[in-house]
Every structure is written in structure tokens, then in C-alpha cells.
Amino acid sequence: MRLPESPRWLVLRHGRVGVDEAARVLEDIRPDGYDISSELEEFVALEGRQQRTSRRNRGWSGLWQPWVRPALVVGCGIAVFTQLSGIEMIIYYAPTILTDNGFSTTTALSVSVALGMTYLVMMVVGLVIVDKVGRRRLTLVMVPGAAVSLFALGAFFITGHATRDYVPSIVACLLAFMFFNAGGLQLMGWLTGSEIYPLSVRAAATSVQSATLWSTNLLITLTLLTMISIFGVGQVFWIYGMFNVAAWLFVWRRMPELTGHSLEDIERHLKSGKFRPPRLRPRLTRTTWQSAAPNRSGGRNAESGRGTLQLSLADELIAVPAVVRIWSGSWWTGQATSFPRSSRR
């Protein structure tokens, strides 16, 4: 009852007639003083492009277009790694793994409850900070923590220290894994599908991404216990730790920073071949990104969304102090904090 119609949908469905209603929706959901005119202009321009798009370039047939492929690779790749990161192994089989290795049923079930609570809390925290930190940056900061946690868990089992004396340490590793995984990669698995695909193929592309995610989930469910019986618990933890390393490399190499860019802006980058991670090194400053928020005068940055979706590895690694400063308020200006686009030297 409280969810309004999408302004984009109103313009696309009703054309010029729907612009007034779209404007009313934007006025309700945007901050006071926000200049919605440029956003409405983007919707109208998108509606014009949709009218000119041939049927063979829409829906399932449109997925074969070369300029759509980078988004599909990123979306499906993230979907695969959300499962290969080990989250389902931990959620589905943590009680079985623990009880089969000498832990009491009460301890195993208590750990499962704690893992579920950690998952919930970190998903909420991730949703709160993702627009301040950045999607790519948050993922690259959190995934290494998940990998280290799995390597540590594997070491306990491989070295014969998975005993009652080490229960606190093992539980701490499990909770640390859930902390880093839920607040990073799991969040991206559902965000990317709603953001990176062009509107003309979004329904088909999100269907492919969802099918990829759940197919990987099914594969893990069917093979995990067999892998444990063949390789051992510790070795399987290490295998999934390596999957996290692969996920980090994939995000670093293939996923651009999406934060601060409108859906239309992301589509423009795809069509221009600029949907890629960085090769240059922008500097971290106190500059705020104004493509998704109004400036102090109520207008929008005229240059917003026209740079390549790029950030360097060095930028990702300075995210932790950036998060601390954001939360402490020393950089907070009431707008989305972000970083300037790179330029060739």
C-alpha cells in the first residue's frame, strides 16, 4: 500500500502522459530541495530509446548483443561466487560437520543460531553502508576476511585441533566468516542484478543470473558431503577459501564501481564500452559524488555520470579508514560520500 510505482515504469508505460505522475513520485521519495528535472529528462530520453529499440534487441534475444555481455558476465559471476564462497556450506551443514567431529548437538545448534543472527545483522549493516563505501570497494575489503576465516578453520581440522578445547576458536572463525561474507559478497549477489542490466533485457538477464545462482547452490548441496568424505573437512574448508580468493580476483578484474551512478548512466557506460574496472589511480579526497544527490544549491552536477566506471586497487585498500571516518562524521556532509573519477596522466 505504501510502495509507489517506479517513475521509470510510469514514463515507459505512459510516455509523456506519465511524466507528471513520475514527477510526483520523485518529489515524494527524493530529499527536499532535490532537482528532479534532470532525472525526468533521463527517463524521457530512455523512453525514446526504448521506442527505437527493435524487438530482436529486447528480452532474451537482446542478451546476445556484445555490449550487454560485460554486465551479464559480472552478474552471473557474482552469483556463482556468492555460493562458492562457502555460505551455503556453513548454513546447511555446520551442525552436521560439527557433530560428526565430536561437538555436542547443543553446541552445534547454538552455533547455527549465532550464525543466522550474524548473517541478518551484517546484511542490515551492509545495506546501511554500501552507498557510502561503494559496492566494489566493500566487496574487496570483506572477501579477504572470509577467505582467511576458512583457511583458519581448515587448519584446525587438518592439524587435529578440532577438539572441545578449541571450540571457542572454531566458533570465532565461523562467526568471522559469516561477518565478512554476509556483509560483502552476499549483499552484492542481489544488488547487482537490479542495477547493472539495461532495461530492454533486464527481465531476461536477471532470470539468467538467478538461475545461475540457484544452479550453483544445487551443485554445492549435492556435492559437499561427498567432497568431505573424499578430501576431509579441513581440506574442503581450504578449497572454499580458494574460491574466495578467486572471487576477490574476479571482482577486482571485472566489476566496476556502480555506486553513485544512475541506471541510465550504467547503460551508457555499457554501450560505450567503459563498463570495466580501473587501470588508473584516482585520489581519495573529501569530494562528494553528486550524480545521485543534490548539491547545496539544489542542482545536480552537470558532469555526473560521464566518467568511466573505474577505481583502482589502491582505492579499495584504503576503504577501512574511509568507513571509520564516514561513521565518525568527519567527512559526512549529508550527501553520498564518494571519490573523484580518474583521468589519464
Side-chain angles (χ1 to χ4, degrees), residues 151-189:
F151 288 136
L153 279 169
F156 279 112
F157 285 90
I158 289 174
T159 60
H161 291 89
T163 63
R164 294 182 183 275
D165 294 337
Y166 291 91
V167 167
S169 299
I170 292 174
V171 171
C173 288
L174 287 169
L175 293 177
F177 166 80
M178 190 62 72
F179 176 94
F180 288 109
N181 188 269
L185 194 57
Q186 297 306 313
L187 191 63
M188 296 311 112

Side-chain angles (χ1 to χ4, degrees), residues 143-159 173 177 234-246:
V143 169
V148 170
S149 300
L150 290 178
F151 288 136
L153 279 169
F156 279 112
F157 285 90
I158 289 174
T159 60
C173 288
F177 166 80
Q235 288 83 351
V236 170
F237 278 130
W238 280 5
I239 290 172
Y240 278 90
M242 292 305 299
F243 284 144
N244 278 268
V245 174

Side-chain angles (χ1 to χ4, degrees), residues 282-303:
R283 297 176 182 175
L284 176 66
T285 70
R286 300 188 183 189
T287 304
T288 57
W289 193 289
Q290 295 176 333
S291 64
N295 58 30
R296 293 186 180 275
S297 63
R300 292 183 61 172
N301 187 349
E303 297 298 323

Side-chain angles (χ1 to χ4, degrees), residues 116-332:
M117 291 300 296
T118 304
Y119 188 101
L120 173 63
V121 169
M122 288 309 300
M123 287 293 283
V124 173
V125 171
L127 287 171
V128 170
I129 68 173
V130 67
D131 284 328
K132 303 178 180 69
V133 179
R135 286 143 176 76
R136 170 184 160 94
R137 180 178 291 107
L138 180 63
T139 307
L140 290 177
V141 168
M142 299 294 271
V143 169
V148 170
S149 300
L150 290 178
F151 288 136
L153 279 169
F156 279 112
F157 285 90
I158 289 174
T159 60
H161 291 89
T163 63
R164 294 182 183 275
D165 294 337
Y166 291 91
V167 167
S169 299
I170 292 174
V171 171
C173 288
L174 287 169
L175 293 177
F177 166 80
M178 190 62 72
F179 176 94
F180 288 109
N181 188 269
L185 194 57
Q186 297 306 313
L187 191 63
M188 296 311 112
W190 298 107
L191 274 180
T192 53
S194 63
E195 293 180 338
I196 64 175
Y197 299 121
L199 192 60
S200 59
V201 299
R202 185 165 298 155
T206 51
S207 298
V208 172
Q209 179 172 336
S210 181
T212 301
L213 186 150
W214 291 113
S215 297
T216 309
N217 181 289
L218 176 63
L219 178 64
I220 291 170
T221 304
L222 294 175
T223 61
L224 180 62
L225 295 181
T226 302
M227 288 177 63
I228 290 175
S229 65
I230 295 174
F231 301 110
V233 175
Q235 288 83 351
V236 170
F237 278 130
W238 280 5
I239 290 172
Y240 278 90
M242 292 305 299
F243 284 144
N244 278 268
V245 174
W248 190 93
L249 292 172
F250 177 83
V251 171
W252 175 49
R253 295 282 298 180
R254 302 299 303 236
M255 180 180 174
E257 181 56 75
L258 304 174
T259 304
H261 292 267
S262 68
L263 301 181
E264 291 78 16
D265 186 32
I266 293 172
E267 183 171 339
R268 281 196 296 271
H269 281 82
L270 279 167
K271 288 184 174 179
S272 62
K274 296 180 180 179
F275 188 84
R276 61 181 184 273
R279 284 175 281 185
L280 299 175
R281 179 178 175 178
R283 297 176 182 175
L284 176 66
T285 70
R286 300 188 183 189
T287 304
T288 57
W289 193 289
Q290 295 176 333
S291 64
N295 58 30
R296 293 186 180 275
S297 63
R300 292 183 61 172
N301 187 349
E303 297 298 323
S304 64
R306 296 189 182 164
T308 302
L309 293 170
Q310 294 184 345
L311 283 174
S312 71
L313 174 59
D315 296 316
E316 325 306 340
L317 299 181
I318 56 178
V320 174
V323 174
V324 173
R325 293 195 182 190
I326 288 169
W327 279 104
S328 67
S330 62
W331 286 0
W332 181 245

Side-chain angles (χ1 to χ4, degrees), residues 8-143:
R8 287 181 181 83
W9 181 86
L10 290 169
V11 175
L12 291 173
R13 181 67 179 271
H14 302 293
R16 299 281 178 175
V17 179
V19 172
D20 291 339
E21 189 174 353
R24 286 193 293 270
V25 173
L26 285 174
E27 289 172 352
D28 290 338
I29 63 178
R30 297 295 184 235
D32 293 337
Y34 188 93
D35 180 17
I36 65 171
S37 59
S38 57
E39 197 165 359
L40 280 173
E41 290 172 3
E42 285 186 337
F43 297 165
V44 173
L46 176 63
E47 191 269 341
R49 290 196 299 271
Q50 286 290 101
Q51 294 294 333
R52 295 189 297 271
T53 301
S54 63
R55 185 173 297 276
R56 63 186 178 85
N57 289 330
R58 300 181 187 180
W60 292 99
S61 58
L63 291 179
W64 297 100
Q65 299 174 95
W67 65 273
V68 176
R69 195 173 302 130
L72 198 62
V73 169
V74 170
C76 291
I78 293 293
V80 168
F81 282 116
T82 58
Q83 305 304 298
L84 292 182
S85 64
I87 187 72
E88 304 307 334
M89 171 182 66
I90 299 298
I91 291 177
Y92 292 165
Y93 294 113
T96 301
I97 293 172
L98 293 175
T99 53
D100 286 352
N101 287 273
F103 292 83
S104 67
T105 302
T106 301
T107 299
L109 293 177
S110 298
V111 170
S112 295
V113 172
L115 289 172
M117 291 300 296
T118 304
Y119 188 101
L120 173 63
V121 169
M122 288 309 300
M123 287 293 283
V124 173
V125 171
L127 287 171
V128 170
I129 68 173
V130 67
D131 284 328
K132 303 178 180 69
V133 179
R135 286 143 176 76
R136 170 184 160 94
R137 180 178 291 107
L138 180 63
T139 307
L140 290 177
V141 168
M142 299 294 271
V143 169

